[in-house]
């Protein structure tokens, strides 16, 4: 089952795995966990186990049925490189990616070390797969960038969301795209505008595409309100840059 996405930087989601476990502060208020519980209560197929990690091989063929070029966020409801996802299953997922070159797949993980190990064994990253890591803070997030750099992907990206603190200097060598966003939901933690601007400035200096997704539950003025009311303007404008894929051919 694929689903049209409201996420600003993608078009559809594809979840051949659902469920996860928390490993760092960015996971604290996981939107996918809340959504999985809601879907289980609604009796939605695939969520019979709630947020317990579950492989859904019946969904593997979904992108094969779609000819229209589509940008997929792969595993928005899980982490493809979770320790309980077998290597053989990841290979099956990536085989579908390779067999559908008309689509683009954005694969985001917090298990950067496992991802690097997986591809270090001679496996290839399909050219239509963009590989990314979450960078929510200095201790857990920033070290993931070095692991990502080891992955031979055509596009490497960072999801700096939820941005929980000033992340300091970033080495963006061989990184092509940076997304920044604040946390949403009832328990959202605030994001300081200075943290965002510092990441944006570093992207500009290092010539990396910058995308500002949202302020989330706390506005730039430090007031709590709906994420829609807070919007996604930074310095009086929106920032929607995408990586220049053609330049890497």
């Amino acid at each position: 089952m694929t689903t049209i996405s409201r996420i600003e930087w993608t078009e559809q989601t594809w979840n051949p795995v659902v469920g996860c476990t928390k490993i760092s502060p960015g996971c604290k208020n996981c939107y996918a966990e809340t959504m999985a519980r809601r879907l289980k209560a609604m009796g939605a197929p695939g969520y019979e186990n709630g947020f317990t990690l579950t492989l859904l091989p019946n969904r593997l063929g979904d992108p094969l049925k779609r000819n229209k070029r589509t940008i997929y966020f792969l595993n928005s409801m899980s982490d493809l490189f979770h320790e309980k996802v077998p290597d053989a299953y990841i290979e099956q997922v990536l085989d579908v990616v390779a067999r559908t070159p008309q689509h683009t797949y954005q694969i985001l993980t917090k298990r950067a070390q496992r991802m690097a190990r997986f591809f270090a064994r001679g496996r290839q990253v399909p050219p239509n797969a963009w590989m990314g890591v979450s960078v929510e803070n200095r201790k857990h997030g920033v070290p993931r960038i070095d692991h990502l750099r080891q992955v031979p992907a055509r596009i490497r990206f960072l999801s700096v969301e939820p941005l929980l603190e000033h992340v300091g200097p970033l080495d963006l060598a061989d990184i092509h795209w940076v997304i920044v966003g604040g946390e949403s939901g009832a328990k959202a933690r605030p994001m300081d505008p200075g943290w965002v601007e510092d990441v944006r400035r570093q992207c500009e200096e290092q010539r990396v595409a910058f995308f500002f997704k949202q302020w989330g539950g706390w506005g730039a003025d430090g007031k709590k309100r709906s994420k829609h009311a807070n919007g996604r303007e930074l310095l009086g404008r929106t920032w929607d840059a995408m990586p220049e894929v053609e330049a890497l051919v």
Side-chain angles (χ1 to χ4, degrees):
M1 181 178 68
T2 60
T3 306
I4 295 174
S5 176
R6 295 181 181 179
I7 299 170
E8 290 82 355
W9 44 264
T10 198
E11 295 176 350
Q12 294 207 17
T13 59
W14 173 41
N15 287 285
V17 183
V18 298
C20 200
T21 51
K22 299 179 181 182
I23 62 167
S24 68
C27 303
K28 183 178 180 180
N29 301 319
C30 179
Y31 78 90
E33 180 179 24
T34 301
M35 181 61 70
R37 289 175 176 171
R38 186 178 304 160
L39 291 169
K40 178 181 180 180
M42 294 167 57
Y47 294 93
E48 293 82 359
N49 299 324
F51 202 55
T52 300
L53 191 132
T54 305
L55 307 185
L56 298 172
N58 60 305
R59 294 184 178 180
L60 284 172
D62 287 357
L64 298 169
K65 304 171 187 176
R66 185 174 177 86
N67 292 322
K68 181 182 178 181
R69 294 171 63 92
T70 301
I71 299 175
Y72 283 108
F73 180 12
L74 202 166
N75 269 15
S76 64
M77 296 293 290
S78 185
D79 189 328
L80 185 63
F81 294 96
H82 190 283
E83 54 273 13
K84 290 188 177 180
V85 180
D87 281 0
Y89 193 77
I90 298 174
E91 289 174 346
Q92 286 182 272
V93 172
L94 294 177
D95 178 65
V96 174
V97 172
R99 289 164 60 195
T100 51
Q102 73 272 27
H103 302 320
T104 296
Y105 296 85
Q106 298 158 326
I107 304 174
L108 180 65
T109 185
K110 287 185 174 70
R111 277 92 175 164
Q113 287 180 290
R114 187 190 177 194
M115 178 175 66
R117 288 196 305 269
F118 179 86
F119 289 108
R121 297 169 183 168
R123 298 183 178 95
Q124 299 297 309
V125 180
N128 55 329
W130 299 5
M131 309 304 293
V133 295
S134 298
V135 182
E136 73 266 43
N137 62 10
R138 292 186 297 273
K139 180 179 179 181
H140 303 88
V142 173
R144 295 181 185 129
I145 302 173
D146 285 335
H147 295 297
L148 175 62
R149 244 188 294 274
Q150 299 171 28
V151 177
R154 191 181 187 190
I155 295 290
R156 301 180 193 87
F157 71 98
L158 310 181
S159 175
V160 187
E161 182 188 14
L163 179 54
L164 301 177
E165 65 178 8
H166 181 239
V167 292
L170 297 173
D171 178 1
L172 300 178
D174 297 319
I175 303 300
H176 307 98
W177 190 33
V178 174
I179 306 161
V180 176
E183 193 168 39
S184 57
K187 299 180 180 179
R189 291 160 284 183
M191 178 175 66
D192 189 301
W195 306 342
V196 184
E197 171 55 18
D198 188 58
V199 176
R200 188 208 63 77
R201 177 187 56 78
Q202 293 187 71
C203 287
E204 181 178 32
E205 291 174 352
Q206 299 182 55
R207 298 186 178 183
V208 176
F210 175 78
F211 191 107
F212 184 58
K213 180 186 171 187
Q214 64 177 22
W215 285 103
W218 294 84
D221 58 2
K223 294 182 179 180
K224 192 172 185 180
R225 54 175 78 87
S226 75
K227 69 175 183 179
H228 299 292
N230 286 324
R232 49 188 303 265
E233 285 195 0
L234 171 67
L235 301 176
R237 54 161 286 192
T238 55
W239 303 79
D240 297 320
M242 299 289 285
E244 297 182 11
V245 180
E246 293 77 8
L248 301 173
V249 175

